[in-house]
Amino acid sequence: MFEVVETLTKNKETIATMESCSGGAIVNAITNIPGASEVLKYSAVTYANEFKIKMGVNKETIDKYSVYSMEVAKEMSKNISLFANSTYGIGITGKINRADPYNNSGEDNKIFISIYNSKNDTYNTFNLIAKDMDRIGNKEYIVTSIANKLLEVFRNS
């Protein structure tokens, strides 16, 4: 994540996150880097649907596609970017090898990730399949995957 913070700082850009299944792992990785306060605008961990909705995710989107969908991840990424007035927003939802008794739909190991770029109103989206390991290992896998995707987004924007 060092290179991500370094690039954001160099470009005078900012980032915000709305995380669900990753439980704040992305923002934790960002804040582990010196200088993170120059680029991190805001972060929310929204496990419960009601707080995704309070942060701007449309209830109808959740009802139509499920909370575990790319449509919800996209709304999470854009709304957190708008809320924080940040250059980039990251939205993460999904399940890490566990059924959710409150939201039965979706695969129990699929993670939906969206990176919103406010400079050109675009999304970079991708899915991950949780690895057969513990939650900590999967969170590290998610962080590494997002850091790599962010660097790709930076190079292409």
Side-chain angles (χ1 to χ4, degrees):
M1 202 53 82
F2 178 82
E3 199 175 342
V4 168
V5 171
E6 183 179 65
T7 302
L8 288 167
T9 302
K10 182 183 82 170
N11 294 339
K12 296 182 178 14
E13 295 177 330
T14 56
I15 196 163
T17 68
M18 190 185 311
E19 302 181 58
S20 188
C21 64
S22 55
I26 304 306
V27 74
N28 180 63
I30 292 169
T31 59
N32 284 338
I33 308 300
S37 61
E38 296 173 37
V39 300
L40 180 66
K41 296 285 277 198
Y42 187 79
S43 180
V45 177
T46 56
Y47 261 34
N49 292 358
E50 72 179 285
F51 290 98
K52 288 176 182 71
I53 293 165
K54 285 184 181 192
M55 291 300 300
V57 175
N58 191 320
K59 182 184 181 316
E60 288 73 32
T61 303
I62 293 172
D63 291 345
K64 181 175 181 178
Y65 297 102
S66 136
V67 69
Y68 304 119
S69 65
M70 189 56 72
E71 291 80 6
V72 168
K74 287 173 74 173
E75 286 195 22
M76 291 170 73
S77 66
K78 184 171 186 173
N79 283 305
I80 200 67
S81 175
L82 294 174
F83 180 84
N85 194 29
S86 66
T87 313
Y88 298 96
I90 298 174
I92 306 165
T93 186
K95 300 184 210 176
I96 300 177
N97 297 329
R98 184 177 182 279
D100 178 352
Y102 302 105
N103 297 287
N104 294 322
S105 63
E107 299 171 51
D108 293 340
N109 64 347
K110 194 166 188 178
I111 302 153
F112 302 88
I113 300 166
S114 173
I115 300 170
Y116 176 73
N117 181 340
S118 69
K119 295 183 299 186
N120 54 19
D121 191 32
T122 59
Y123 300 89
N124 285 273
T125 62
F126 62 104
N127 297 317
L128 295 175
I129 301 300
K131 304 253 185 211
D132 186 19
M133 63 174 97
D134 65 12
R135 289 183 70 80
I136 293 170
N138 272 293
K139 287 180 180 184
E140 290 171 0
Y141 167 56
I142 294 166
V143 168
T144 300
S145 299
I146 288 174
N148 290 335
K149 180 59 88 171
L150 279 166
L151 293 173
E152 179 184 312
V153 168
F154 298 159
R155 283 190 296 274
N156 295 325
S157 67

